[in-house]
Amino acid sequence: MIHKAGTLVANPTKTRIKPGQAFIAVAGLVVVLAIAFLAWSVRSEIEELSSASSDNVQWSLSQSEVEFQEFSSRIRVGADLAGVRRRFDIFYSRIGTVSTAQVFEELREDPEFSATLNKIQTWLDTTVPYIDASDVELTGNMPRLAGLVQDIRPEVRKLSNSGLGIFARNADRQRSDVARTLTELALALAALIAALGLSVLHLVRLNKRLLRKESEQRQTATRMNTVLNTSLDGVIVSDDAGQILEFSPAAEEIFGYRAQDVIGHELGAIIVPDHMRAGHDAGMERMRKGGEKRVVGKGRVQLEAKRADGSIFPVELAIQSAVTPQGDIFIAFLRDITQQKADEAELVDARDKAIAGEKSRSEFLATMSHEIRTPLNGLLGNLSLLRDTPVSTKQDTYMRNMETSGRLLLSHVSDVLDITRYDSGKVSAKLEPVNISDLLQDIIDSQSGMASTQETTLDWGWNGPAQHWITSDSDRLQHVLMNLVGNAVKFTKRGRVSVTVGWENDQITFEIEDTGAGIPEDLQDRIFDDFVTGNAAYDREVGGSGLGLSIAKRFVHVLGGEIDVASVMGEGSTFRVTLPATKAQATPQNDRDNNSNVATAPQRVLIVEDNEINRFVVREMLQADGHHVSEAHDGQQGVDMAAAEKFDLILMDISMPVLDGRSATRRIRESNGASAHARIIALTANAMAAEREDFLAHGMNDVLTKPLRKSDLRMAMGEESQPAPKDFSDLVDHAHMRETLEVVGPEKFHKLLARYGGEVEQMIAWLHSDARLDRVEIAQQAHKIAGSAAMFGATSFRAKLLSLEEAAKAGEDAQVRAAIATLPDLWKRSKKALSEIALTE
Ligand code: ADP
């Protein structure tokens, strides 16, 4: 139940008096005052009318005539003189009164009255000497006096009468004054009644309006009540002193109070937890002083609140303020978010557990892959050494198979390592200048053996002007392209695989196109996912872990690029890789043409490695090349030996008991020992870019990745950067060549090779001459030379010749030209490989 919900309706407009109302009020007041004045006037005029003074005056005037008659009747010869004199004095006194008394003032202002009075006064003044004379004289003048009396008699009569006339006129005037005033009073009363009528009308209208407003307000209040009663959020309204004015049913439910128990109480004491009281009170105080409102009108905030039972729980609240005639009010909308918080915590916990699980899975995979690599390394190393010893052709084949399986296993393990590293965010691009043409040529060469086995032509070329040097991560790029070209060759029989590379606007695009089996549409969507392989019979035949493309995609992303595929079943597939790539300057160390071959004298080498097999393999490799080798079984022993003896080179394993490779290197560098300045090369299974930097920072000169290849070791030692015979496998089929060698004998082999070389070079010269070339002739020549190449086991060269033959037959001139262009270099390398292998056999 909401109490006093109506107060929620803020009414900031104060009752104001309208101009019309003010006018009516003032007019009413004026009319009332006028009526009061008029009533007073009427009353005083009537009073004046009713006063007796005029009767008195009239009586005095007529009395003056009577007294004059009294005086004049005594004027005769022999009259009683004393009586004459007394009567004269009475008349004199009467006239004196009329001349000076206040009551006659009004009469005296009348000119006629005043003139008559003056005449009588003058007469009295003339007569006084006669009266005041001696008795004798008075008696003697009696006749004279009688004459004077007769003279003035008319004037005395006139005086007596004029007074009457004036009073009659005055009475008339006063009556008409009263009548006028009464008329005015009647008019004023009529005006007052009209004003009252208007006021009544106005009040009736006002009352109607008020009633309408009241009903509207009642409706609004009812609506507000409904909203508040049904709101799921608790609503609490307080005044600016923090006193609770409203407490909605939802608030009752959330806090466990009844509204009537908390209304009028201080909000802070009811719902704010004790540890937040100080802050709440300070905030209220700040707001009261008109200061900054930190929570009001700032949207939803999350805080803690206190229930009736004292328990603390999280709430989400929004506070708004409003101005009402009673002052500011604050409306808080609150929601209990205990469940939401619990859900969040559960989710975070689940996520953390999942991350931890994922992490431990990655760590397990990384550790296992690492652990598998170490013994594999030993196996492959020993195999490599074994193949350097005299073995029969059969044994060599077995060993080759073992080596192939071993390398395949190693590549699977590396794939798993790559994925776990990428997924744990540890892979980053190592940008450096890369020669794209060399890189692609290497890949094409390495795949040409396989391509020729599949009877597939394999070529590459620039689309648009060549941009040999770009900035990229050489290893990753090679990995990606090798995978795509390898797949294309693997899935294309008697067809064609071509790689087109184009560079434009700091972006390089590789298109690997094949005319192979194609990829089913449903597989195209998943092909870059982990462990996805096709279901076709050939897929099963070639095997594969289904990780190749997923790793390629990861690496492409590391390089900031995109990879996609388009394929039509039965027609072939095109994989496209687009990468950001800026132009780079050619760098001597990366430019293989500038790589000078440095052959070095026998060196004194210290191997610091705890794994016995690894030590054995490296020692054998080094001793085979004539170097002097010493061995240390852990880091500390390595440090001791390096202090005692001067070595040219120290090969340092990284993870070792007692003292690890990094610390051992630092100690050797920091000591004044005999080998403090020796070249130190790290031996590690983790050749990540970041770690490489770390090794160099610890004082190492270079890093070699296990499993160690003889060629890498030689390169690192500053020897000729020539691949070991087994590295020619991409160019030469050893088994085939060895068979030929065994059949014809070494001497004849070299003679035949020299003769064949002559033929090849002749053909190359012919192909490069300006002569007009006939396609049929090219096909014939290529076919002939390819036949001999097969005899020597020069697989790559043979494949190229066959693709030339095919292109010539098909009339594809562009491919013919491309094949002719690559022939001289390919022959040069094939010839070198053949002679070297023959020499070591
Ligand atoms: P793997 O590492 O086992 O070679 P990939 O991820 O490289 O696996 O390839 C997955 C699958 O994609 C292959 O099993 C094959 O079915 C299909 N595939 C890849 N490239 C080609 C291609 N050029 N032509 C036809 N199928 C292809």
Side-chain angles (χ1 to χ4, degrees):
M1 182 58 208
I2 288 286
H3 300 262
K4 295 195 288 165
T7 57
L8 269 183
V9 184
N11 181 13
T13 48
K14 301 227 169 70
T15 325
R16 264 186 289 143
I17 296 168
K18 294 185 182 147
Q21 292 172 339
F23 176 73
I24 289 175
V26 171
L29 194 69
V30 168
V31 170
V32 168
L33 286 176
I35 288 169
F37 175 71
L38 288 170
W40 175 78
S41 304
V42 169
R43 191 170 165 268
S44 58
E45 274 166 21
I46 288 173
E47 251 176 26
E48 205 177 306
L49 266 180
S50 66
S51 87
S53 74
S54 63
D55 296 351
N56 203 13
V57 168
Q58 250 171 288
W59 179 83
S60 289
L61 286 176
S62 49
Q63 199 59 27
S64 67
E65 194 181 355
V66 173
E67 281 156 1
F68 181 74
Q69 282 302 336
E70 287 281 338
F71 166 63
S72 67
S73 66
R74 288 179 195 259
I75 303 295
R76 66 185 143 28
V77 178
D80 172 17
L81 293 178
V84 169
R85 282 191 181 107
R86 196 170 59 249
R87 289 294 159 186
F88 180 81
D89 286 346
I90 290 170
F91 179 64
Y92 188 94
S93 161
R94 176 69 62 193
I95 292 303
T97 305
V98 172
S99 300
T100 57
Q102 183 70 38
V103 288
F104 298 102
E105 176 80 38
E106 205 184 328
L107 289 177
R108 284 196 298 269
E109 279 168 14
D110 185 80
E112 201 182 334
F113 182 86
S114 176
T116 311
L117 188 62
N118 280 341
K119 275 183 192 165
I120 294 170
Q121 194 72 50
T122 311
W123 179 84
L124 282 175
D125 293 343
T126 319
T127 313
V128 167
Y130 295 100
I131 298 297
D132 288 347
S134 62
D135 288 351
V136 179
E137 280 173 319
L138 180 57
T139 307
N141 283 332
M142 209 50 89
R144 171 95 184 113
L145 264 177
L148 282 172
V149 166
Q150 286 314 315
D151 288 344
I152 204 67
R153 186 178 301 280
E155 293 304 322
V156 173
R157 167 142 300 222
K158 196 174 169 189
L159 184 75
S160 169
N161 287 342
S162 74
L164 282 174
I166 288 169
F167 276 114
R169 275 202 314 278
N170 275 356
D172 281 351
R173 185 172 44 80
Q174 274 178 344
R175 263 193 306 277
S176 70
D177 275 359
V178 170
R180 197 182 64 240
T181 309
L182 283 173
T183 311
E184 283 171 3
L185 188 61
L187 282 174
L189 279 172
L192 183 63
I193 288 166
L196 282 173
L198 281 175
S199 304
V200 167
L201 257 176
H202 181 67
L203 283 174
V204 167
R205 275 172 54 194
L206 213 63
N207 192 36
K208 262 190 189 165
R209 208 180 301 161
L210 274 175
L211 283 173
R212 202 173 52 236
K213 247 190 190 155
E214 207 177 279
S215 123
E216 277 172 14
Q217 282 196 350
R218 246 199 321 276
Q219 276 178 15
T220 313
T222 312
R223 267 201 300 276
M224 288 291 291
N225 264 348
T226 313
V227 170
L228 292 184
N229 287 333
T230 53
S231 162
L232 291 178
D233 284 353
V235 181
I236 302 178
V237 182
S238 71
D239 61 15
D240 58 358
Q243 301 243 313
I244 298 175
L245 302 174
E246 313 286 350
F247 206 78
S248 78
E252 287 180 327
E253 196 159 310
I254 293 171
F255 290 95
Y257 284 110
R258 284 183 316 161
Q260 64 259 43
D261 297 339
V262 292
I263 287 188
H265 286 75
E266 217 267 301
L267 179 72
I270 301 290
I271 66 161
V272 178
D274 297 343
H275 67 276
M276 290 166 66
R277 272 306 291 281
H280 169 81
D281 292 346
M284 287 300 288
E285 185 59 29
R286 211 173 35 243
M287 278 195 301
R288 263 194 293 278
K289 289 186 176 158
E292 159 208 17
K293 293 174 181 170
R294 290 203 184 141
V295 192
V296 178
K298 296 286 156 66
R300 291 185 175 279
V301 286
Q302 293 191 356
L303 288 174
E304 284 183 332
K306 186 174 70 177
R307 292 196 190 90
D309 62 8
S311 55
I312 309 288
F313 67 104
V315 285
E316 190 174 70
L317 87 161
I319 303 182
Q320 291 297 340
S321 63
V323 182
T324 71
Q326 290 75 39
D328 282 3
I329 59 166
F330 298 96
I331 308 121
F333 302 88
L334 302 110
R335 184 177 297 175
D336 182 348
I337 53 167
T338 310
Q339 190 56 45
Q340 184 185 329
K341 283 276 166 196
D343 292 349
E344 263 174 39
E346 203 175 309
L347 267 177
V348 169
D349 191 45
R351 187 203 60 194
D352 288 350
K353 277 188 184 143
I355 290 173
E358 183 64 22
K359 201 166 163 232
S360 62
R361 187 185 71 101
S362 295
E363 273 165 14
F364 169 76
L365 278 174
T367 313
M368 280 314 290
S369 319
H370 190 78
E371 291 305 321
I372 294 168
R373 278 170 69 120
T374 308
L376 248 183
N377 181 18
L379 275 173
L380 288 169
N382 278 294
L383 263 179
S384 157
L385 291 172
L386 198 59
R387 287 192 53 205
D388 286 350
T389 62
V391 282
S392 73
T393 312
K394 238 184 188 166
Q395 284 171 328
D396 186 74
T397 310
Y398 297 154
M399 281 187 316
R400 187 191 309 281
N401 292 344
M402 284 166 73
E403 205 172 352
T404 307
S405 302
R407 295 225 172 268
L408 189 63
L409 183 54
L410 197 63
S411 91
H412 289 339
V413 174
S414 299
D415 283 355
V416 174
L417 247 188
D418 283 339
I419 288 178
T420 48
R421 275 184 192 154
Y422 177 88
D423 291 350
S424 59
K426 286 184 184 160
V427 176
S428 56
K430 186 183 141 213
L431 297 178
E432 60 187 2
V434 182
N435 187 322
I436 290 297
S437 301
D438 286 349
L439 186 125
L440 270 174
Q441 187 59 55
D442 284 350
I443 292 171
I444 298 295
D445 289 347
S446 73
Q447 292 297 319
S448 58
M450 176 71 180
S452 70
T453 314
Q454 298 271 64
E455 296 178 55
T456 290
T457 58
L458 175 60
D459 53 51
W460 77 276
W462 282 95
N463 177 18
Q467 173 55 47
H468 300 297
W469 288 94
I470 61 148
T471 303
S472 190
D473 181 328
S474 166
D475 290 347
R476 311 259 183 259
L477 189 54
Q478 186 180 34
H479 190 114
V480 171
L481 295 175
M482 185 70 113
N483 196 283
L484 296 177
V485 175
N487 274 349
V489 170
K490 197 157 75 178
F491 291 101
T492 308
K493 278 183 177 166
R494 272 174 237 101
R496 186 182 154 206
V497 173
S498 52
V499 181
T500 313
V501 51
W503 185 85
E504 203 177 18
N505 298 334
D506 284 347
Q507 182 167 297
I508 193 157
T509 307
F510 299 93
E511 274 187 3
I512 297 94
E513 195 181 348
D514 67 55
T515 57
I519 305 166
E521 213 160 297
D522 63 320
L523 189 61
Q524 286 177 32
D525 300 334
R526 303 176 289 119
I527 204 161
F528 296 105
D529 294 345
D530 291 342
F531 304 112
V532 172
T533 54
N535 224 357
Y538 187 64
D539 273 314
R540 289 194 291 276
E541 187 189 312
V542 296
S545 62
L547 288 176
L549 288 176
S550 62
I551 293 174
K553 181 169 185 168
R554 285 175 170 89
F555 283 176
V556 167
H557 283 172
V558 165
L559 297 176
E562 288 298 329
I563 180 168
D564 57 39
V565 62
S567 179
V568 178
M569 283 301 282
E571 287 183 19
S573 318
T574 303
F575 283 83
R576 181 211 296 265
V577 176
T578 314
L579 302 171
T582 49
K583 228 186 227 184
Q585 286 297 316
T587 53
Q589 68 266 39
N590 284 329
D591 190 342
R592 70 171 78 159
D593 296 338
N594 287 344
N595 239 355
S596 56
N597 298 335
V598 190
T600 53
Q603 297 183 27
R604 274 162 305 170
V605 183
L606 171 64
I607 307 169
V608 188
E609 159 76 82
D610 62 322
N611 184 301
E612 200 191 330
I613 300 175
N614 284 353
R615 268 202 321 271
F616 170 78
V617 173
V618 179
R619 186 182 66 218
E620 288 295 306
M621 284 180 177
L622 289 168
Q623 284 177 343
D625 284 352
H627 301 294
H628 307 289
V629 182
S630 305
E631 291 171 35
H633 298 194
D634 60 54
Q636 187 54 53
Q637 204 182 4
V639 173
D640 296 342
M641 290 174 73
E645 199 182 330
K646 186 174 187 314
F647 293 101
D648 301 308
L649 175 71
I650 301 173
L651 293 173
M652 182 71 78
D653 185 29
I654 295 300
S655 1
M656 279 182 295
V658 189
L659 191 65
D660 70 28
R662 290 181 178 85
S663 313
T665 306
R666 221 174 32 245
R667 289 198 195 169
I668 293 171
R669 291 287 185 232
E670 285 165 4
S671 74
N672 273 330
S675 298
H677 304 292
R679 223 170 117 69
I680 302 181
I681 295 177
L683 292 179
T684 176
N686 313 317
M688 284 163 60
E691 279 182 325
R692 188 184 160 85
E693 299 302 317
D694 185 45
F695 297 151
L696 299 186
H698 275 84
M700 295 175 178
N701 300 89
D702 206 346
V703 181
L704 281 177
T705 321
K706 295 178 192 175
L708 207 54
R709 288 170 181 245
K710 214 188 250 179
S711 55
D712 295 338
L713 184 58
R714 283 179 177 165
M715 198 112 79
M717 291 184 70
E719 289 182 14
E720 189 170 351
S721 62
Q722 218 173 46
K726 63 180 166 17
D727 285 333
F728 290 128
S729 56
D730 55 324
L731 292 171
V732 178
D733 179 344
H734 286 230
H736 205 101
M737 176 186 155
R738 205 169 287 122
E739 265 174 30
T740 312
L741 193 62
E742 271 174 12
V743 172
V744 300
E747 210 178 315
K748 187 92 183 283
F749 182 89
H750 282 291
K751 269 192 190 158
L752 279 172
L753 186 59
R755 206 168 78 203
Y756 177 63
E759 276 175 29
V760 172
E761 272 143 35
Q762 218 177 347
M763 180 193 76
I764 288 174
W766 172 70
L767 285 171
H768 282 84
S769 67
D770 294 337
R772 245 181 81 84
L773 298 178
D774 178 49
R775 287 193 200 118
V776 180
E777 210 174 337
I778 292 174
Q780 276 173 1
Q781 281 292 325
H783 188 82
K784 190 182 117 194
I785 301 288
S788 310
M791 188 189 77
F792 287 107
T795 43
S796 199
F797 188 57
R798 174 172 177 271
K800 183 61 69 185
L801 287 170
L802 287 178
S803 72
L804 173 61
E805 180 192 348
E806 197 170 310
K809 278 181 180 163
E812 291 183 17
D813 289 345
Q815 280 183 47
V816 169
R817 272 197 298 279
I820 291 173
T822 55
L823 275 181
D825 180 59
L826 186 56
W827 168 243
K828 208 167 102 193
R829 289 187 293 127
S830 303
K831 189 170 111 177
K832 199 169 176 187
L834 289 169
S835 344
E836 278 186 24
I837 299 168
L839 278 177
T840 55
E841 291 297 316

